[in-house]
C-alpha cells in the first residue's frame, strides 16, 4: 500500500501517501471519533519527531480532514525518500499505539477489514477534503 513510482510530482506523491491514512480515518473515526483519531495521530507524530522533525510543528487541526490536509502539505514539503520514510514511521507508530490500546488481535482484525474495504467501506464514515 505504500509503494509508488519515484517520478511523481510532490503534490501527487503526498496525495497518494495519504491513501492509507484516509482508509484508517474512514474506518476508525466512527469508532473513536475525530478527537480520538487526532489524539492518536498527534501522539504518533510526537513519537516520530526526533527522527522526522518536519512532521511536527503547529497544533493539530481539530478535524480529521484538516489533519490529513496538513499531513499532505508536510509530505509535499520534503523530498520523496524523506516523505516515504516519515510516512511509514508515522503509520507504524499509529498502528503500534492502536495495538497497545485495544490489543493486537483486534487491531489486526480492524486493519484487515479496513484494507479489504478501502476508504469507501460500507461501515465507514465520510472523510473528505
Amino acid at each position: 500500500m505504500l509503494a509508488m513510482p519515484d517520478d511523481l510530482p510532490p503534490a501527487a506523491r503526498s496525495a497518494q501517501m495519504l491513501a492509507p491514512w484516509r482508509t484508517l480515518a474512514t474506518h476508525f473515526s466512527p469508532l473513536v471519533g475525530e478527537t480520538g483519531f487526532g489524539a492518536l495521530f498527534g501522539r504518533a507524530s510526537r513519537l516520530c519527531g526526533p527522527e522526522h522533525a518536519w512532521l511536527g510543528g503547529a497544533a493539530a487541526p481539530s478535524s480529521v480532514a484538516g489533519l490529513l490536509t496538513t499531513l499532505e502539505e508536510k509530505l509535499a514539503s520534503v523530498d520523496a525518500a524523506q516523505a516515504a520514510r516519515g510516512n511509514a514511521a508515522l503509520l507504524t507508530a499509529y498502528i503500534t499505539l492502536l495495538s497497545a490500546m485495544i490489543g493486537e488481535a483486534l487491531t489486526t482484525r480492524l486493519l484487515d477489514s479496513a484494507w479489504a474495504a478501502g476508504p469507501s467501506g460500507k461501515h465507514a464514515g465520510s472523510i473528505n477534503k
Side-chain angles (χ1 to χ4, degrees):
M1 186 171 253
L2 297 176
M4 67 190 66
D6 292 334
D7 60 345
L8 289 176
R13 179 189 72 231
S14 60
Q16 190 171 5
M17 284 187 191
L18 285 181
W21 288 108
R22 291 193 190 287
T23 299
L24 286 172
T26 299
H27 290 272
F28 293 150
S29 290
L31 300 173
V32 299
E34 289 199 7
T35 303
F37 185 90
L40 199 59
F41 182 91
R43 179 68 181 136
S45 294
R46 283 186 292 285
L47 290 173
C48 293
E51 291 185 33
H52 307 282
W54 55 272
L55 283 172
S62 60
S63 71
V64 172
L67 187 144
L68 295 178
T69 298
T70 300
L71 177 59
E72 184 174 17
E73 292 165 357
K74 289 179 180 186
L75 291 169
S77 74
V78 296
D79 67 65
Q82 192 175 13
R85 284 190 307 271
N87 192 49
L90 190 57
L91 278 165
T92 299
Y94 187 93
I95 292 167
T96 300
L97 289 168
L98 183 65
S99 182
M101 288 175 47
I102 66 172
E104 187 175 336
L106 183 54
T107 299
T108 300
R109 284 196 348 241
L110 289 171
L111 289 174
D112 287 347
S113 174
W115 297 154
S120 60
K122 67 178 181 178
H123 299 293
S126 176
I127 304 298
N128 298 316
K129 260 173 82 170

